[in-house]
Amino acid sequence: MKQKLVHIVTMGCQMNVYDSEQMLRLLAPLNYRPTSQLDKADLILLNTCSIREKAEHKVYSFLGRLVRMKRLRPDIIIGVGGCVAQQEGYRLVERAPHIDIVFGTFALGRLPSLVEQVKDQEKQVVDVNPRGSSELLCVKGPVFKVERVTAFVTIMQGCDNFCTYCVVPYVRGREVSRKPEEILEEIRLLVQNGIREVTLIGQNVNAYGQKNGHGCDFPALLERVNDIEGLQRIRFTTSHPKDLSDRLIEAFCRLDKLAPHIHLPVQSGSSRVLSRMNRGYARDLYVKKVARLRNVRPGIAITSDMIVGFPGEETADFEATVDLVRQVEFDGLFLFKYSDRPNVPAAKFSNKVPEAVKGKRFSTLLEVQREFTLKKNKALIGTTQEVLVEGPSKKSRNQLTGRSPCNKIINFKDSANCMARAGRILPVRIVEAFSHSLLGHPVGRGHGEYSGENGGMSYAA
Ligand code: 5AD
Ligand code: SF4
């Protein structure tokens, strides 16, 4: 069989990053190899995101770029998968007739047969069937990742929470958890292939195992992952505050590999808005959980998501949000302007906030948070952070980059005898702080003498 090339464009969250890797594995038996060059590809796949309006616009603008390419090379196959595919189905081919395949979030496992169908029948195929799903599939096959030391591992998918603004329950379906044994096996395999840090992912990881009855809930799963030899760090995302149990909070103290960082989306500082969002907690409960996390694991980094301009958000509600941001002092905040999504209840709410007001609130909050992000980063100047080296920094060729346990990006110069390699954990003294990263120097005698294999740090001081 002639070798062909596939180029995947991944948009959106980590779930999509994981799914794109599964696509590569699924296509390997059809003799497709990945390429980073769009114009060399025989098969172009878009793994899309529909969480916000802006994300969906990105899909159509990328598809627009492919019109000319398809006209010049009609033999290339263009496939659109992920959340926009699930949401739009046939509407996608109507709007963009140069698409050959539409495969929804449940059709991932059927991708190879869809590609074959297009080749054989030379017609467009659409598969948005939510049944017979292959969700949470873990495809065994070649690992195409190179020079990576961190990996995402999907542990659950879907969401049963139905926050009133969110499209996820509609495009990803109900909560389903993978079997613990399958997850553990996948992580062991990743570790054998050089992975040192895993991030367990799912729309609401705290709900892991609650509906399927695998006899293992999320804290229990974490404990089992913690026992995997050779693995250095564990992270997880995303956590719903209402499901953040005391046992999970205590895991931050009990489990040595669990990194001291939690992404805990709050969405608003106003209990009135939280209730209209159907979040299932009030502001006070969130604040209490944050205090408990900091009590159990001092220095834990806390990041969050916040939506401004939710329908009916009044000035007083927004002020409560600003106040919460000042009170909690997040390490980082992802800010979003509310946008209507198809079929979500909030799309029908009255009292929509005008775009100009949303914009103003967005920049006000951004400014407030910027101060705290910088303050938190500056507090690390003079400290020594254990950096898991990921490789050369994107910005500067003679710098290496990695992350601290708290998930801060740390860049540092690799001195001649430093021997820093991807996969190692290296002590780095922080000398400068910016809003998105920190700059440091490896510490140690002779500018760093490090030994130790398998990424294990054995620092010769
Ligand atoms: N509008 C704006 N932001 C949204 N998010 C989810 N849905 C919407 C929407 N309709 C944000 C939430 C969520 C993050 C991934 O995206 O903050 O946590
Ligand atoms: Fe969406 Fe809410 Fe589920 Fe998160 S918890 S995925 S915001 S419905």
Side-chain angles (χ1 to χ4, degrees):
M1 216 190 315
K2 193 174 157 256
Q3 182 159 304
K4 302 238 172 197
L5 295 173
V6 53
H7 177 87
I8 305 186
V9 179
T10 308
M11 298 167 170
C13 68
Q14 298 97 330
M15 305 292 287
N16 276 7
V17 174
Y18 182 87
D19 288 350
S20 291
E21 281 172 8
Q22 303 288 358
M23 288 177 202
L24 286 181
R25 280 185 212 158
L26 281 161
L27 292 166
L30 266 63
N31 228 8
Y32 279 100
R33 294 282 169 273
T35 174
S36 57
Q37 289 167 283
L38 180 72
D39 52 354
K40 292 258 161 44
D42 306 286
L43 172 64
I44 299 169
L45 297 176
L46 256 72
N47 194 0
T48 64
C49 169
S50 70
I51 191 90
R52 290 172 297 275
E53 208 174 18
K54 220 164 137 188
E56 203 175 322
H57 286 162
K58 245 170 90 177
V59 177
Y60 288 105
S61 85
F62 191 87
L63 282 170
R65 282 174 53 198
L66 298 182
V67 173
R68 213 176 99 83
M69 195 181 256
K70 180 80 176 174
R71 206 179 298 135
L72 294 173
R73 283 182 54 205
D75 56 314
I76 53 169
I77 300 175
I78 300 175
V80 181
C83 297
V84 175
Q86 189 64 40
Q87 180 189 294
E88 296 299 306
Y90 288 92
R91 282 195 296 270
L92 253 171
V93 275
E94 276 162 22
R95 215 170 139 178
H98 56 303
I99 298 173
D100 299 287
I101 309 170
V102 175
F103 59 111
T105 51
F106 299 94
L108 189 61
R110 297 187 287 272
L111 179 62
S113 75
L114 296 171
V115 172
E116 298 283 31
Q117 269 180 56
V118 170
K119 279 188 189 160
D120 295 346
Q121 302 164 15
E122 290 182 12
K123 64 167 194 185
Q124 291 165 317
V125 289
V126 176
D127 184 345
V128 286
N129 189 347
R131 282 177 302 277
S133 68
S134 59
E135 68 265 89
L136 299 176
L137 88 173
C138 165
V139 186
K140 301 215 169 41
V143 181
F144 292 105
K145 295 163 289 182
V146 277
E147 294 171 16
R148 283 245 320 261
V149 294
T150 63
F152 297 125
V153 175
T154 295
I155 62 162
M156 59 88 64
Q157 233 189 52
C159 184
D160 292 357
N161 283 318
F162 291 93
C163 299
T164 52
Y165 52 81
C166 185
V167 81
V168 167
Y170 309 93
V171 292
R172 288 273 180 178
R174 297 294 84 74
E175 273 170 25
V176 199
S177 297
R178 280 177 72 191
K179 290 196 186 89
E181 292 74 26
E182 213 179 276
I183 297 167
L184 295 167
E185 194 194 314
E186 185 177 340
I187 299 175
R188 277 190 212 105
L189 200 72
L190 287 168
V191 171
Q192 278 168 26
N193 282 287
I195 295 296
R196 295 288 160 255
E197 173 185 301
V198 288
T199 305
L200 309 180
I201 56 171
Q203 262 88 25
N204 177 15
V205 290
N206 302 0
Y208 173 81
Q210 279 170 19
K211 301 239 157 83
N212 296 78
H214 295 317
C216 176
D217 65 1
F218 188 52
L221 178 73
L222 280 175
E223 244 164 70
R224 292 171 73 177
V225 176
N226 197 66
D227 287 340
I228 294 178
E229 232 172 273
L231 183 67
Q232 304 265 331
R233 280 183 188 165
I234 309 166
R235 303 184 187 280
F236 60 82
T237 196
T238 294
S239 291
H240 194 301
K242 83 173 162 50
D243 297 320
L244 183 69
S245 66
D246 279 355
R247 261 181 71 227
L248 183 53
I249 293 176
E250 279 150 19
F252 279 103
C253 158
R254 247 190 0 260
L255 306 179
D256 58 326
K257 293 179 187 169
L258 189 56
H261 167 230
I262 186 166
H263 184 64
L264 197 62
V266 58
Q267 314 297 1
S268 172
S270 152
S271 293
R272 195 183 74 88
V273 172
L274 287 171
S275 158
R276 285 164 55 80
M277 287 177 164
N278 191 30
R279 290 291 289 173
Y281 56 86
R283 174 195 170 118
D284 281 1
L285 187 73
Y286 185 88
V287 172
K288 271 193 197 131
K289 293 206 180 189
V290 165
R292 193 141 163 61
L293 280 162
R294 287 184 168 149
N295 190 27
V296 162
R297 187 85 179 245
I300 189 169
I302 300 177
T303 54
S304 197
D305 292 347
M306 200 74 91
I307 298 176
V308 296
F310 184 76
E313 182 188 75
E314 290 174 7
T315 309
D317 298 310
F318 177 66
E319 279 166 3
T321 293
V322 174
D323 184 68
L324 181 82
V325 169
R326 290 192 194 282
Q327 184 182 357
V328 172
E329 301 198 0
F330 293 106
D331 287 76
L333 199 56
F334 296 90
L335 280 185
F336 306 106
K337 284 186 241 176
Y338 169 83
S339 59
D340 278 343
R341 301 285 61 223
N343 305 316
V344 306
K348 294 198 194 76
F349 288 5
S350 52
N351 300 332
K352 291 278 159 61
V353 176
E355 280 307 314
V357 177
K358 276 190 218 169
K360 206 155 178 304
R361 289 181 185 170
F362 184 92
S363 23
T364 305
L365 204 53
L366 198 69
E367 212 37 60
V368 173
Q369 179 56 36
R370 206 192 300 269
E371 185 194 313
F372 291 110
T373 310
L374 205 57
K375 179 179 153 187
K376 293 257 166 180
N377 286 354
K378 279 196 172 152
L380 297 175
I381 294 176
T383 66
T384 299
Q385 298 290 316
E386 304 225 311
V387 178
L388 173 63
V389 183
E390 290 176 18
S393 135
K394 273 188 203 138
K395 277 198 187 141
S396 163
R397 284 202 152 252
N398 58 0
Q399 268 185 11
L400 287 166
T401 191
R403 283 182 190 251
S404 72
C406 286
N407 213 26
K408 311 267 181 194
I409 298 170
I410 299 180
N411 299 312
F412 59 96
K413 274 230 170 76
D414 186 14
S415 62
N417 47 1
C418 167
M419 284 171 58
R421 269 200 283 118
R424 292 226 167 150
I425 290 188
L426 212 65
V428 175
R429 188 176 299 281
I430 307 303
V431 293
E432 232 179 311
F434 312 101
S435 46
H436 293 293
S437 65
L438 298 153
L439 187 71
H441 299 308
V443 288
R445 208 188 317 146
H447 303 291
E449 292 165 18
Y450 305 99
S451 58
E453 287 311 310
N454 299 326
M457 191 199 82
S458 120
Y459 172 50

